[in-house]
Amino acid sequence: MASVAPAPSTELAPLPILYRDDTLVAINKPSGLLVHRSPIDKHETRFAIQQLRDQIGQRVYPVHRLDKPTSGVLLFALDSDTARQVSQHWHRAQKCYVAVVRGYAPEQVLIDHPLRYEPDRYGDADKSSCPVQAAQTEVKRLACFELGAAVERYPTSRYSLVQCQPKTGRKHQIRRHLKHISHPIIGDAKHGKGIHNRYFAEHLQAPRLLLAATQLQFAHPNGGHTVCVDAPLTDCFAELLRRFGWCNALPPQWLPDHASG
């Protein structure tokens, strides 16, 4: 009698908790997970806010958000008052991201390029009527790699690992700024280059947006002391670090398999 394969498990892996105290909790959000329900993806059934609530057994309140394809540090408050206090001073928080981009990026550059608000696919505003807002992002090249493959018209293809620190908080700011300087993020379906996205997905097993929030610093609402939360890179992003020899370019707390304290 033929054996029947067991049904695949529907149980979700626990969200990695990077920081927790009596009022706040931070997780390492995986790529592909929405923060909360959104009309952008009506059919999605998994949300970080619900999964974390079920995991720790209490309500959580998102202080900020990360795009669905972006991974990394995501902060929640454990009560609405704390969420409101942190949000009021969020413009002072310092955020650091790591990304893989096409080409050899500048060693260091401040991108000062105003951005017009970018409505969602379903349209929450008329784009032509949206104001242009000041936007600045500091970008630093950490490492580069030349791949022996003709992805475009050249016999080899160049890529960089960059660190990005947004000084303002515009929608999709890092993705749009890197496109502006002709170094789009790999895996960015909207602002990147499809031929490179497909190559990474098909040949390097990296089908995601290669952008991760690796560090968040903010003033704690109780006492004002600085909290610094780091998120190690995971999944195929982590594997690319090894493949391209980039591990030495990052601090230990951002490396794969780093044990949080």
Side-chain angles (χ1 to χ4, degrees):
M1 186 174 179
S3 60
V4 179
S9 174
T10 58
E11 186 176 344
L12 298 174
L15 294 168
I17 293 179
L18 304 170
Y19 173 87
R20 185 175 181 180
D21 61 25
D22 292 339
T23 57
L24 297 167
V25 59
I27 65 167
N28 193 354
K29 185 187 86 68
S31 175
L33 181 65
L34 278 172
V35 176
H36 47 66
R37 192 177 300 277
S38 168
I40 299 174
D41 197 336
K42 294 181 180 179
H43 304 292
E44 184 57 77
T45 58
R46 300 183 308 123
F47 311 98
I49 188 170
Q50 294 176 352
Q51 189 174 339
L52 182 58
R53 176 199 64 195
D54 295 343
Q55 183 173 324
I56 67 174
Q58 66 182 105
R59 293 189 65 178
V60 294
Y61 303 78
V63 173
H64 66 122
R65 59 166 288 180
L66 292 176
D67 294 333
K68 180 179 180 180
T70 304
S71 62
V73 184
L74 183 62
L75 182 68
F76 293 86
L78 297 179
D79 62 84
S80 58
D81 287 341
T82 298
R84 184 163 49 251
Q85 289 179 55
V86 178
S87 297
Q88 286 174 350
H89 302 285
W90 195 247
H91 60 285
R92 299 176 186 169
Q94 297 181 35
K95 312 166 193 88
C96 192
Y97 294 73
V98 167
V100 178
V101 303
R102 186 194 68 166
Y104 285 177
E107 288 190 9
Q108 193 153 355
V109 63
L110 173 64
I111 304 173
D112 189 350
H113 177 65
L115 297 172
R116 191 179 298 278
Y117 179 76
E118 191 175 67
D120 290 325
R121 181 173 49 184
Y122 291 94
D124 50 2
D126 177 5
K127 191 171 183 178
S128 63
S129 66
C130 294
V132 174
Q133 300 172 304
Q136 298 87 33
T137 306
E138 286 187 359
V139 177
K140 178 182 178 181
R141 189 180 73 206
L142 302 176
C144 43
F145 185 80
E146 188 166 21
L147 189 66
V151 177
E152 290 193 83
R153 62 183 182 274
Y154 302 106
T156 60
S157 303
R158 295 176 171 182
Y159 302 97
S160 299
L161 180 70
V162 297
Q163 174 181 300
C164 304
Q165 293 180 283
K167 301 304 178 183
T168 50
R170 311 308 177 201
K171 187 175 181 181
H172 297 166
Q173 177 175 312
I174 295 174
R175 295 158 68 174
R176 296 168 73 186
H177 269 174
L178 287 169
K179 176 188 177 183
H180 175 69
I181 64 169
S182 301
H183 294 287
I185 300 176
I186 302 302
D188 190 339
K190 185 170 185 178
H191 305 99
K193 293 205 70 174
I195 191 169
H196 291 274
N197 297 348
R198 287 190 296 274
Y199 186 89
F200 271 67
E202 296 170 5
H203 298 277
L204 299 176
Q205 292 74 53
R208 56 160 289 188
L209 174 71
L210 294 177
L211 175 66
T214 49
Q215 187 177 86
L216 174 64
Q217 293 188 59
F218 61 95
H220 199 287
N222 298 334
H225 58 281
T226 299
V227 176
C228 182
V229 184
D230 294 287
L233 297 170
T234 59
D235 59 54
C236 59
F237 203 151
E239 184 55 37
L240 276 178
L241 292 181
R242 301 185 183 99
R243 186 164 190 162
F244 288 180
W246 284 347
C247 288
N248 290 337
L250 294 174
Q253 61 268 29
W254 297 354
L255 293 178
D257 307 319
H258 176 78
S260 57

